[in-house]
Amino acid sequence: MPDAVRYIGLMSGTSLDGVDGVVACFDSCGQPTLLGRASAPFPEPLRSELLALNSPGDNELARAAIASNALATLYATVVRDILRSTGLTSRDIAAIGAHGQTVRHQPGLGYTIQLNAPALLAELTEISVVADFRSRDVAAGGQGAPLVPAFHAGVFGCDHTRAVLNLGGIANITVLRPDQPPIGFDTGPANALMDLWCLEHTGKPFDSDGLWGAQGVVQPDLLDHMILSEPWFARPAPKSTGRDLFNRAWLDSRIGQIASDRATVAGKIHGISQAGALSAVDIQATLRALTARTACDAILQAAPEVTEVLVCGGGARNPALMGELAAKLPCAVRATDALGIGAQDVEALAFAWLAWAHDNKTPAGLPAVTGARGPRLLGATWPK
């Protein structure tokens, strides 16, 4: 391999907001220099179908194949935008690292499913594609997630204990200690539940800058019930999760239980039924608090000596959420922008790095993170 090569990384996460893409030049040690970026929102029909495919439904195999092709076509659009904006051509790119769209994640049952059509993406872009990053780790007994701690170690490691908190649809952390391998795991829902609730009650796909949720009041009984009633939170690492668990049915059951409890109390104590009602905006505030509390608890349990937390993903753009994190953590909390990598670019850059790692035979599946039987080379290649 030449000393410096260019890779494109594409990421569409559980937030289901769209596709983020970057192009970066990697030196022989895998250190990236970001050259450009582009993004594209999901067209509403595709977003709705991808969300629907997270649950069993009629004719889902054919629907999944059609959605995969639509996703690859959108990926190709982002690639073309990146090339156009940077003046690069397909011949300048070694490969595209494409994550795909997770619709099922059940490593305990031995599988994880990311919708993707890497062969079509290679045809549309005339660039080799590296994809299917999770399945080898799952085959080796691992969680297949999170995938990014090896990348975080390479770009954010330093001489003190640092945690990287990714707030996508699901939250995950990486703990970086000097001269030690990274550890990492999912901590619970981040934007997935907040976005779902915001769309239903405001008509907007996400709570821009967290302004709507900031108007609400956190409901302690609902927050405690969401945490204490869910065994997954108490499960030790390695662990990962997704919309298979944290979905509308999960949320409805928790809200329903608290509403029932409050109604019972109201029936016994005259005149408090209105005061005890759960409002939509208060639930949004409580979902924000759920993300902050479960992430902070995980960080402090895994790394009580942490001196800094770097935040990436869409949640880094939620001032109310960032404020809650800062209030709960005994250390500096800042977005990765402060280190020169935009919070929204970190995961896409990670998949460019994962493609580089695959081509350079560098294992990115880490047993300390996923629980796999050993380090594994991740991904498979679809040549141009």
Side-chain angles (χ1 to χ4, degrees):
M1 300 285 296
D3 287 342
V5 286
R6 301 179 189 90
Y7 286 84
I8 287 174
L10 300 172
M11 179 63 188
S12 53
T14 50
S15 290
L16 284 170
D17 50 357
V19 178
D20 291 311
V22 300
V23 61
C25 185
F26 290 85
D27 66 19
S28 58
C29 297
Q31 288 298 306
T33 299
L34 190 64
L35 303 177
R37 72 174 313 278
S39 62
F42 282 135
E44 183 51 38
L46 177 58
R47 182 187 184 280
S48 296
E49 181 69 333
L50 292 172
L51 182 60
L53 286 166
N54 279 266
S55 302
D58 292 338
N59 200 30
E60 62 180 336
L61 292 179
R63 289 167 49 213
I66 293 168
S68 295
N69 286 344
L71 179 63
T73 301
L74 186 60
Y75 279 169
T77 298
V78 173
V79 170
R80 285 193 290 269
D81 289 346
I82 289 172
L83 296 179
R84 186 182 304 111
S85 66
T86 57
L88 298 169
T89 71
S90 60
R91 294 185 297 277
D92 298 317
I93 309 300
I96 297 167
H99 172 257
Q101 189 67 42
T102 301
V103 293
R104 297 286 196 284
H105 186 66
Q106 294 288 344
L109 299 178
Y111 72 89
T112 183
I113 300 173
Q114 287 71 48
L115 299 186
N116 203 353
L120 177 59
L121 181 57
E123 286 289 331
L124 293 173
T125 62
E126 299 182 328
I127 301 171
S128 295
V129 174
V130 184
D132 190 22
F133 290 102
R134 299 188 188 274
S135 63
R136 183 59 190 273
D137 187 87
V138 172
Q143 292 284 307
L147 290 175
V148 292
F151 168 73
H152 288 163
V155 297
F156 295 129
C158 62
D159 60 359
H160 57 269
T161 300
R162 177 181 270 171
V164 183
L165 170 61
N166 175 54
L167 296 173
I170 298 296
N172 57 71
I173 62 168
T174 300
V175 175
L176 304 171
R177 293 184 171 93
D179 303 318
Q180 293 186 36
I183 62 172
F185 53 91
D186 288 352
T187 66
N191 297 315
L193 293 180
M194 286 190 284
D195 290 352
L196 179 156
W197 194 252
C198 182
L199 178 63
E200 177 169 331
H201 291 278
T202 72
K204 299 176 181 178
F206 62 94
D207 187 5
S208 181
D209 294 328
L211 294 177
W212 181 54
Q215 300 171 41
V217 177
V218 175
Q219 303 296 294
D221 56 346
L222 176 59
L223 176 60
D224 289 344
H225 179 62
M226 286 193 292
I227 294 172
L228 295 175
S229 68
E230 179 45 65
W232 186 89
F233 288 120
R235 186 182 303 172
K239 62 179 181 178
S240 58
T241 190
R243 289 182 183 270
D244 303 62
L245 175 59
F246 293 108
N247 51 35
R248 183 54 192 270
W250 184 92
L251 181 56
D252 283 347
S253 69
R254 272 68 188 176
I255 294 171
Q257 183 61 56
I258 294 303
S260 176
D261 291 348
R262 290 187 179 188
T264 299
V265 172
K268 296 178 178 178
I269 305 175
H270 179 70
I272 73 164
S273 58
Q274 290 302 313
L278 284 164
S279 74
V281 71
D282 288 350
I283 292 172
Q284 182 76 358
T286 306
L287 289 172
R288 183 192 69 230
L290 174 68
T291 296
R293 181 166 150 186
T294 51
C296 291
D297 286 352
I299 291 169
L300 294 175
Q301 183 175 5
E305 81 281 17
V306 66
T307 58
E308 182 181 25
V309 174
L310 300 175
V311 185
C312 57
R317 303 296 184 237
N318 184 328
L321 179 53
M322 291 292 284
E324 283 202 52
L325 294 170
K328 293 178 181 298
L329 291 167
C331 61
V333 177
R334 53 182 178 160
T336 56
D337 303 63
L339 275 69
I341 302 177
Q344 202 68 32
D345 294 335
V346 172
E347 281 207 296
L349 185 57
F351 280 90
W353 181 86
L354 284 163
W356 173 90
H358 176 84
D359 283 356
N360 284 269
K361 304 297 185 288
T362 299
L366 305 180
V369 173
T370 69
R373 287 184 286 274
R376 293 295 186 267
L377 183 66
L378 303 182
T381 300
W382 282 257
K384 63 183 177 181

